[in-house]
Amino acid sequence: MADDKLKPEEILNVSYEPADRDWLTPTAVFRKGTYSYSAPLKHQKYLDLPNQREWNPADADWKLPENWKEIILEGMGRLLKRHRSFKLYLDICVRCGACADKCHYFLGSGDPKNMPVLRAELLRSVYRRYFTVAGKIFGRLAGARDLTEDVLKEWFYYFFQCSECRRCSIYCPYGIDTCEITMMARELLNLVGCNIQWVVEPASNCFRTGNHLGIPPHAFKQTFEFALDELKDLTGISIDAPINRKGAEILFVAPSADYFASPHWHTFLGYLMLFHEIGLDYTWSTYASEGGNFGLFHSSELAKRLNNKIYAEARRLGVKWILGGECGHMWRTIHQYMDTFNGPADFLEEPVSPITGTKFDNARSTKMVHITEFTADLIKHDKLKLDPARNDRWKVTFHDSCNPARAIGLFAEPRYILQNVCNHFFDMPENTIKEKTFCCGSGAGLGADENMEMRLRGGFPRAHAVKYVKEKHGVNMVSCLCAIDKASLPPLFEYWVPGVEVCGVHELVGNALVMKGETRTADLRGEPLAQAEEPTA
């Protein structure tokens, strides 16, 4: 983090009193630490995006095309016809304010335009002006605004301060999903080339190399070789990790951060240990070496193109079904959009665990099973030998990552796993977990370092709940299921609640797993196992 970052007490100095200014007047101020950089030209070119150019959101001139207004309004018209939900959400909001204090960005900033209801009004006001009779006749009296460059800049500022976590939708009495409005706004911004680096660059890399980090196939293979050597040293067991193997029963897809970042790496090791121990007939892929889908934060077309890579590789390799790792937006894309984008995947078989015989009926259309569903099923059928004492140095809580939680309702399985691999597990307060979970503050492409102040503000509610269980139960480890969480929570906790670390669920599984023929004295972080510290008779 930058040396000039605000101190915690400065960020906490937030006023929630309504501003004494007209919300219809655009007020975006591009101050350092509160916005994301624009996408580099080379990545715009690779994805063939509109209005390619070098530009800076903080500059007065955004180098928009001369007919940018017509492009936006034509695009809005198309989206209104294509997405019935978009028009419905724009029409039915009564501005009751039930969502107002549910957004972590509003709680962390006090900016009223970060209330979900008012953030949506920024777009809804333009919709009223050009697509409703009342707005065309009464203008501002009907809450309508002309589309100007300042309004466009305000859209960019605030719709890239929404992490699309969907917490606000849980509390809306009409079921309005403000995330969908954010997605539409970002699609419109992209039509005139207004997009951010932390969305476009990962998507571009995914097309170029198969994954967000830009890792080429030979480096992918070398990374696996390094991991297998490390596991040999830790366990004394030679483990194999098949890559691009045709005819395997299962294709396993994980976020690229799992095999190239920390603390994700330890989750990756946990996967490899688990699959070896149960003798899983599976393969990794260098082509589909990414589970995440940053296209979801850009446009439906880009999300569709990225999602298709996984299924194209499943077809090429001739697998029966797909197993997915600990990722966030991969699972929202698969669970909520797959059939519309690319499916159903009729060329694959309905997933059945080769170890337990369990049929995963919930994946009958997508043919893709979440790793925690798979592992929880193994534990339930007593297929794993586990020693939870090996994790006794950790007092663990679980952060419900937004997409696995609110998008697919994955609440019980990760907790069931953690309660079987840890002796000390404590949930955070009920109004901060499961479907009501708080976001890490860095999702939907907002995890860039230049956006650090808003990340710290947006992540404060989550950190505050972690602080509660740390003080009450001594929690020192937060487990989660999302690669973005694993990247963004460590600096968040360093700032708000020092002394708390972050891990994936399958790191703790790997620690607790008692493998046949193992010679272990250390956990996956190289620290002594609890049982190894005990004197032998």
Side-chain angles (χ1 to χ4, degrees):
M1 286 183 285
D3 294 334
D4 59 350
K5 67 180 184 296
L6 295 175
K7 294 180 172 60
E9 57 270 22
E10 293 176 299
I11 282 188
L12 284 175
N13 185 23
V14 175
S15 172
Y16 299 105
E17 292 187 6
D20 58 353
R21 61 178 183 269
D22 180 3
W23 74 266
L24 288 163
T25 302
T27 56
V29 178
F30 290 86
R31 180 171 54 82
K32 182 180 178 181
T34 64
Y35 68 96
S36 299
Y37 294 156
S38 55
L41 181 59
K42 66 178 181 179
H43 294 293
Q44 297 177 51
K45 289 182 176 180
Y46 195 84
L47 293 175
D48 194 25
L49 299 182
N51 193 28
Q52 298 171 12
R53 78 237 184 261
E54 296 283 2
W55 67 287
N56 186 339
D59 289 345
D61 182 6
W62 279 21
K63 303 176 183 177
L64 299 171
E66 290 185 7
N67 63 334
W68 69 267
K69 183 174 178 178
E70 289 76 14
I71 294 172
I72 293 288
L73 294 177
E74 288 175 6
M76 184 178 288
R78 287 195 302 271
L79 293 177
L80 289 167
K81 292 178 181 178
R82 183 186 304 168
H83 301 276
R84 287 178 294 176
S85 60
F86 184 33
K87 188 176 189 306
L88 180 69
Y89 294 156
L90 292 177
D91 283 336
I92 68 174
C93 177
V94 296
R95 296 175 292 286
C96 68
C99 64
D101 61 345
K102 307 308 185 294
C103 177
H104 45 281
Y105 286 112
F106 172 68
L107 292 174
S109 69
D111 188 335
K113 291 187 178 180
N114 270 326
M115 295 179 182
V117 58
L118 192 44
R119 187 188 292 116
E121 284 293 305
L122 304 181
L123 185 63
R124 188 178 287 116
S125 59
V126 174
Y127 161 72
R128 287 198 194 99
R129 170 65 181 82
Y130 296 97
F131 296 92
T132 70
V133 174
K136 291 177 181 178
I137 295 174
F138 297 108
R140 290 172 67 93
L141 292 175
R145 301 192 295 178
D146 289 334
L147 179 57
T148 65
E149 284 196 33
D150 287 339
V151 167
L152 189 75
K153 291 178 179 181
E154 188 176 56
W155 284 5
F156 182 92
Y157 186 76
Y158 287 103
F159 286 112
F160 283 105
Q161 283 184 23
C162 170
S163 59
E164 302 183 12
C165 81
R166 304 174 66 243
R167 188 173 194 262
C168 53
S169 67
I170 298 297
Y171 296 89
C172 177
Y174 291 90
I176 295 172
D177 191 345
T178 305
C179 166
E180 296 280 344
I181 296 177
T182 293
M183 293 168 73
M184 298 299 104
R186 291 190 180 189
E187 286 218 26
L188 294 174
L189 288 164
N190 175 62
L191 293 176
V192 291
C194 296
N195 37 54
I196 65 171
Q197 178 174 357
W198 249 63
V199 169
V200 171
E201 184 168 342
S204 169
N205 286 339
C206 201
F207 276 104
R208 183 169 55 85
T209 67
N211 56 75
H212 293 157
L213 300 180
I215 301 165
H218 65 277
F220 179 89
K221 183 175 183 294
Q222 290 170 354
T223 298
F224 276 63
E225 292 170 352
F226 181 81
L228 298 178
D229 287 343
E230 184 174 341
L231 285 174
K232 173 74 173 180
D233 293 339
L234 282 170
T235 67
I237 299 173
S238 296
I239 294 174
D240 184 33
I243 300 173
N244 297 338
R245 182 166 68 86
K246 290 188 175 182
E249 181 173 358
I250 296 167
L251 169 63
F252 182 67
V253 181
S256 54
D258 278 0
Y259 52 83
F260 228 83
S262 179
H264 315 62
W265 177 260
H266 313 299
T267 299
F268 173 50
L269 299 181
Y271 297 150
L272 296 174
M273 294 170 63
L274 174 67
F275 298 157
H276 171 84
E277 186 64 15
I278 63 176
L280 192 67
D281 179 14
Y282 83 109
T283 186
W284 297 76
S285 164
T286 54
Y287 177 74
S289 54
E290 180 61 68
N293 191 327
F294 272 82
L296 190 65
F297 313 136
H298 179 276
S299 64
S300 57
E301 182 59 32
L302 187 52
K304 174 181 177 179
R305 289 161 66 189
L306 289 176
N307 185 72
N308 188 56
K309 290 172 65 67
I310 296 174
Y311 288 88
E313 185 67 341
R315 186 188 295 274
R316 186 185 74 86
L317 294 174
V319 300
K320 293 182 179 179
W321 55 278
I322 307 170
L323 184 63
E326 296 185 13
C327 185
H329 46 280
M330 169 173 72
W331 285 104
R332 186 174 183 217
T333 308
I334 295 294
H335 188 74
Q336 295 191 320
Y337 297 107
M338 165 61 192
D339 280 354
T340 303
F341 285 165
N342 308 110
D346 294 334
F347 64 94
L348 296 172
E349 297 181 11
E350 189 169 337
V352 177
S353 172
I355 313 301
T356 68
T358 296
K359 189 174 185 179
F360 295 98
D361 294 331
N362 59 309
R364 68 171 59 92
S365 178
T366 65
K367 310 300 192 294
M368 190 163 178
V369 175
H370 195 285
I371 185 68
T372 58
E373 297 176 289
F374 184 75
T375 302
D377 178 64
L378 293 172
I379 295 173
K380 182 179 179 180
H381 287 86
D382 199 26
K383 298 298 182 181
L384 302 177
K385 185 177 181 181
L386 300 169
D387 180 5
R390 291 180 170 187
N391 283 311
D392 273 356
R393 76 186 183 104
W394 302 120
K395 292 187 176 180
V396 181
T397 192
F398 181 65
H399 163 63
D400 290 276
S401 303
C402 298
N403 285 308
R406 277 187 283 268
I408 65 176
L410 203 63
F411 307 137
E413 291 86 348
R415 286 176 170 81
Y416 179 76
I417 295 171
L418 292 172
Q419 289 162 357
N420 278 274
V421 301
C422 303
N423 286 321
H424 310 291
F425 175 77
F426 307 93
D427 249 330
M428 287 178 271
E430 191 65 30
N431 66 336
T432 71
I433 62 173
K434 300 180 180 177
E435 70 272 10
K436 298 178 181 178
T437 187
F438 277 112
C439 179
C440 66
S442 299
L446 306 185
D449 286 348
E450 70 268 16
N451 193 42
M452 185 58 75
E453 181 182 325
M454 286 311 301
R455 288 175 56 187
L456 295 174
R457 290 185 181 278
F460 168 71
R462 169 45 75 221
H464 190 61
V466 171
K467 183 179 180 182
Y468 173 83
V469 288
K470 179 188 178 186
E471 294 176 348
K472 184 173 183 178
H473 302 294
V475 163
N476 58 1
M477 176 65 81
V478 174
S479 186
C480 59
L481 293 177
C482 174
I484 290 178
D485 286 334
K486 290 169 195 167
S488 62
L489 290 177
L492 182 73
F493 294 158
E494 178 188 351
Y495 186 81
W496 287 116
V497 54
V500 177
E501 297 192 46
V502 178
C503 72
V505 169
H506 280 77
E507 175 184 342
L508 300 179
V509 171
N511 286 343
L513 185 63
V514 181
M515 304 178 72
K516 300 179 190 70
E518 68 173 23
T519 54
R520 292 186 68 183
T521 59
D523 66 15
L524 296 183
R525 299 192 179 203
E527 297 294 330
L529 289 172
Q531 64 175 29
E533 295 175 346
E534 299 173 1
T536 56

